[in-house]
Amino acid sequence: MHLYGTQTINEQGHLTIGGTDSVELAKTYGTPLYVYDIQLFRERARAFQQTFKEAGIGYQVAYASKAFSTIAIYQVAAEENLSLDVVSAGELYTAIKAGFPAEKIHFHGNNKSLEELQMAFEVGIGCIVVDNFYEIDLLKKLSEQSKRPMNILLRVTPGIEAHTHDYITTGQEDSKFGFDLKNGQADNAFQQTFNHEYLKLMGLHCHIGSQIFDTGAFQLAAEKLLQKMAGWKEEFGYTCPVLNLGGGFGIRYTEEDEPLEPAVYVRQMIETVKKTSEASGYPIPEIWIEPGRSLIGDAGTTLYTIGSMKEVPGTRKYAAVDGGMSDNIRPALYGAKYSSLLANKANAELTEQYTIAGKCCESGDKLIEQANLPAAEPGDLLSVFCTGAYGYAMASNYNRIARPAVVFVEEGVHQLVVKRETNDDLVKQDLTYSQKAVQK
């Protein structure tokens, strides 16, 4: 079994994370419980940045916080000198509440509202990644009315399909995101923005997909975007100082996955950018990247308590846990695979295979189709690894199930950073119905 980050197995045969016993964490905070190994997050953040420093290249590493967005993780990201990628007013508000430096925030999204863009101007964020012509019009009006400058990047679709799931592929031509690089949309967007009085065009951005295990697609994207920027320099005399190649770096969910180290992705990007820039006579731009999953994904582990168990003779054995698609929608949404361990029997022999079922009222609520585990029984503690990205972020109250608590662990210290929801929380926004109001 592959363990992640600071995970170990102690003398009691219990899984530990960040120097803390998972059994004790479950007793203290209850289950389901999201547990984050903050040391691993820090190590990943430093690894991405160190490679740029060693190469002497200007850079920003922005945490793509749609993967996991809370006040506490934004505070850790700030401590690690990361920039921040947000995609909504809610994420931006959370970042400001966390005290994150506004000038290091980048705002993404394919349908930013007027109110969201106004908020971005008011707090003074560092950059807006522009996605469409409607947004260009809004930004021109806002900047001219407020007489406030704003850095922008143009998001483009480079026509590259990374080897990933259809739902998480975003760089191909047929995408809801960005200006197409081939059909003239990107050129049109450039001409509408490069000489604007208040909008400062910094460069191009692309995001070609998620959970990518090779560097080839990133290299091809870098070449295409740089060639376009070099063409604009030659035709209009305008030099873009930034090339943002997005994120999508893969992690190991199961033994089948073979991700690269952060440094490998970055070194290949740098090499391609240098080579392409030199060939075209273009000044080497700053390289910005946006890791999300690769920073936080395998830093997260979800702890569940096993409840009911069922055997279908000759077919399968079910072990049901006290969470499911309400706290991790990814298996039901696009067949995501995970590995697991009985945290209270971590050294026991793997003698059984179970389908790990959730408690939601859906036949498709299965977290793991084939989990090889010791003989399990009600009350055992199941740990599901690599749930740090898009678990809490996509959690819901389906079936009116309260969302779990979130705990950070580091150097033997555990800290509650998101409280477990209560039944009172579930009805907090509800209003009562009155037939008299209808009659009026």
Side-chain angles (χ1 to χ4, degrees), residues 168-188:
I168 52 178
T169 302
T170 53
Q172 74 278 17
E173 292 179 35
D174 184 10
S175 171
K176 76 173 188 176
F177 297 103
F179 303 97
D180 191 89
L181 207 57
K182 286 185 178 180
N183 67 11
Q185 287 184 344
D187 293 314
N188 190 353

Side-chain angles (χ1 to χ4, degrees), residues 118-422:
Q118 286 174 328
M119 183 179 179
F121 272 88
E122 288 169 3
V123 302
I125 70 167
C127 183
I128 293 177
V129 182
V130 182
D131 204 273
N132 51 68
F133 294 109
Y134 169 73
E135 187 177 338
I136 289 177
D137 290 339
L138 289 178
L139 287 172
K140 284 182 176 180
K141 291 175 183 177
L142 283 171
S143 63
E144 290 163 4
Q145 289 171 358
S146 65
K147 293 183 169 49
R148 292 180 179 178
M150 178 60 70
N151 294 328
I152 65 170
L153 293 172
L154 299 179
R155 178 165 181 168
V156 298
T157 52
I160 297 169
E161 295 193 41
H163 298 289
T164 183
H165 191 281
D166 286 347
Y167 291 2
I168 52 178
T169 302
T170 53
Q172 74 278 17
E173 292 179 35
D174 184 10
S175 171
K176 76 173 188 176
F177 297 103
F179 303 97
D180 191 89
L181 207 57
K182 286 185 178 180
N183 67 11
Q185 287 184 344
D187 293 314
N188 190 353
F190 171 82
Q191 293 180 45
Q192 290 191 33
T193 55
F194 83 97
N195 60 357
H196 190 268
E197 183 178 4
Y198 295 106
L199 300 181
K200 170 65 173 176
L201 178 59
M202 302 294 288
L204 293 181
H205 169 281
C206 71
H207 183 80
I208 57 175
S210 297
Q211 193 61 357
I212 301 169
F213 291 139
D214 62 75
T215 63
F218 291 109
Q219 292 174 281
L220 183 57
E223 289 177 3
K224 285 193 170 190
L225 269 59
L226 266 171
Q227 288 166 359
K228 177 58 69 175
M229 288 160 57
W232 289 337
K233 180 177 183 293
E234 182 177 348
E235 184 174 357
F236 299 98
Y238 189 88
T239 301
C240 297
V242 171
L243 175 65
N244 190 326
L245 294 171
F249 317 114
I251 65 170
R252 178 183 284 108
Y253 284 103
T254 69
E255 297 296 333
E256 301 169 358
D257 295 329
E258 297 180 356
L260 302 174
E261 291 296 321
V264 177
Y265 291 107
V266 173
R267 278 197 296 265
Q268 291 296 325
M269 287 179 178
I270 292 172
E271 181 180 319
T272 300
V273 169
K274 283 184 173 180
K275 181 179 178 180
T276 307
S277 294
E278 291 169 0
S280 61
Y282 195 85
I284 297 174
E286 281 193 16
I287 302 175
W288 294 6
I289 59 172
E290 299 164 345
R293 181 197 317 266
S294 55
L295 285 174
I296 200 69
D298 46 10
T301 301
T302 306
L303 300 178
Y304 300 97
T305 299
I306 292 177
S308 67
M309 305 187 69
K310 172 183 177 179
E311 182 173 0
V312 181
T315 303
R316 74 173 78 214
K317 295 180 180 179
Y318 287 94
V321 295
D322 52 354
M325 63 189 296
S326 54
D327 57 75
N328 188 353
I329 191 64
R330 295 183 70 250
L333 184 61
Y334 40 74
K337 295 182 179 179
Y338 290 91
S339 57
S340 61
L341 183 74
L342 283 187
N344 61 318
K345 299 176 180 177
N347 284 327
E349 185 179 358
L350 308 181
T351 59
E352 306 292 334
Q353 186 176 91
Y354 298 96
T355 291
I356 305 301
K359 66 175 293 173
C360 292
C361 193
E362 294 286 342
S363 296
D365 184 18
K366 300 171 186 174
L367 290 174
I368 304 175
E369 285 284 350
Q370 297 178 334
N372 295 317
L373 298 170
E377 56 189 337
D380 280 341
L381 187 65
L382 181 75
S383 57
V384 177
F385 300 127
C386 296
T387 58
Y390 308 108
Y392 175 82
M394 298 175 78
S396 74
N397 293 129
Y398 183 54
N399 289 170
R400 283 273 158 151
I401 295 173
R403 282 175 287 201
V406 181
V407 172
F408 283 4
V409 292
E410 189 173 14
E411 296 181 353
V413 176
H414 49 89
Q415 180 180 356
L416 183 69
V417 297
V418 179
K419 295 178 181 178
R420 184 178 304 280
E421 285 185 331
T422 66

